[in-house]
Amino acid sequence: LPGFLSSGGYATDAYYYNMRRRYAKIKKELIKLRERRRLERIKRSSRGYPQVAISGYTNAGKTTLFNVLTNESKPVGQGMFTTISPKVKGALINGRKVMFVDTVGFIRKVPADVIEAFYATLEEIVESNLSVMLLDSTEHPNIVIDKLKSSLEVMTKIGYLGKPLIVALNKIDAIANDELTSKLEIVKEFLSNNYRWEWRVIPISALKLINIDLLKEVISKYLEHPTNSY
Ligand SMILES: Nc1nc2c(ncn2[C@@H]2O[C@H](COP(=O)(O)OP(=O)(O)OP(=O)(O)O)[C@@H](O)[C@H]2O)c(=O)[nH]1
Ligand SMILES: [Mg+2]
């Protein structure tokens, strides 16, 4: 019996030893990844290109908009987490090169295997000069406001402060006019009470290409007149 106990003790030590080693290895890889992204960001900003992050909840249409703005053909999905790592691509906006970042969608509970991609997304948003936050206008008004509220909470928590915010109310091709009017109102009212810096709300359809030119115009306007915090 003592032999059984002692071998059990040994096995446990070995288990923890292995776990620690595995954990240390993963941690080292994550640090390397993060460092690489940091260097890539420095390279981008030293070229002088402003960066615009497309943020928002999963399934809001971020990749669809990213593809439209950058002529990219990234996969678009029905359901959550089509995009699991951020992607950056340059595009000309009113003759000026802008780097767009397609990000991983916000959700309430992040599954373990996407946590790192999620952090990467957050870093890209904080480093950006401007964020276009997408909302899905086809959802119930309470859901729209709830998601706007928690998106703003995430953004301020990670340090997106003092910068302008464009809220794009997406998928307007799929809702009625009066519905759009009332949702625009509540979103504007929420922002005027809760976002302390410059903001604009623009109804768009990334899929049916409605108001994309207006969105580009506002993006370039905000980039031309940077607020002092970046
Ligand atoms: N009707 C309509 N559907 C849209 C519009 N934009 C996107 N969609 C659809 O919404 C779904 C999700 O689009 P994505 O672009 O993959 O959304 P996403 O925000 O990148 O999602 P994640 O990468 O999972 O976070 C797809 O089925 C799109 O075709 C739009 O303007 N109108
Ligand atoms: Mg996506």
Side-chain angles (χ1 to χ4, degrees):
L1 205 65
F4 174 72
L5 274 178
S6 64
S7 86
Y10 174 74
T12 306
D13 288 348
Y15 173 77
Y16 282 118
Y17 176 72
N18 270 329
M19 285 304 283
R20 260 207 311 276
R21 258 194 20 186
R22 261 185 62 195
Y23 177 71
K25 191 168 160 245
I26 291 169
K27 208 170 140 190
K28 235 163 72 187
E29 272 166 21
L30 290 184
I31 288 168
K32 261 197 329 227
L33 248 178
R34 190 161 278 163
E35 177 63 11
R36 199 177 68 212
R37 277 197 303 268
R38 195 179 67 82
L39 292 175
E40 280 169 1
R41 267 201 304 274
I42 289 170
K43 217 162 61 193
R44 280 202 302 272
S45 67
S46 70
R47 288 198 202 106
Y49 303 137
Q51 181 168 303
V52 178
I54 301 172
S55 66
Y57 263 72
T58 183
N59 208 47
K62 298 178 297 300
T63 301
T64 308
L65 180 65
F66 176 85
N67 289 345
V68 167
L69 292 171
T70 64
N71 295 313
E72 187 55 76
S73 51
K74 278 195 74 192
V76 160
Q78 187 59 258
M80 303 209 321
F81 289 118
T82 310
T83 306
I84 52 155
S85 80
K87 159 140 197 182
V88 184
K89 198 184 171 198
L92 286 181
I93 298 293
N94 292 355
R96 180 179 185 192
K97 188 159 177 182
V98 174
M99 306 305 288
F100 285 99
V101 191
D102 181 20
T103 68
V104 181
F106 295 158
I107 47 153
R108 282 175 194 287
K109 289 186 181 138
V110 186
D113 57 341
V114 292
I115 279 180
E116 179 53 26
F118 194 71
Y119 284 146
T121 284
L122 301 184
E123 285 173 2
E124 299 291 353
I125 294 171
V126 174
E127 300 294 326
S128 294
N129 305 86
L130 172 67
S131 173
V132 177
M133 185 196 283
L134 262 73
L135 293 176
D136 183 344
S137 69
T138 66
E139 294 181 304
H140 188 279
N142 292 346
I143 304 282
V144 173
I145 292 302
D146 212 49
K147 288 185 174 175
L148 171 59
K149 182 168 179 272
S150 39
S151 300
L152 284 179
E153 277 166 13
V154 171
M155 305 264 294
T156 45
K157 208 178 275 174
I158 60 173
Y160 187 89
L161 303 165
K163 296 176 195 182
L165 178 71
I166 296 173
V167 174
L169 199 53
N170 191 30
K171 311 193 185 182
I172 61 164
D173 59 284
I175 62 169
N177 265 336
D178 51 343
E179 203 181 329
L180 173 59
T181 309
S182 72
K183 279 173 183 165
L184 272 175
E185 275 317 303
I186 58 165
V187 167
K188 283 180 185 171
E189 196 193 320
F190 188 88
L191 284 167
S192 60
N193 291 327
N194 294 280
Y195 196 72
R196 297 159 49 201
W197 301 283
E198 271 191 85
W199 55 266
R200 267 287 290 271
V201 182
I202 304 172
I204 66 163
S205 168
L207 189 67
K208 297 287 162 69
L209 305 180
I210 303 170
N211 276 349
I212 300 300
D213 284 342
L214 173 64
L215 176 64
K216 286 184 184 173
E217 229 169 80
V218 177
I219 289 172
S220 87
K221 190 197 98 186
Y222 274 147
L223 293 178
E224 269 164 35
H225 306 285
T227 39
N228 51 21
S229 46
Y230 60 90

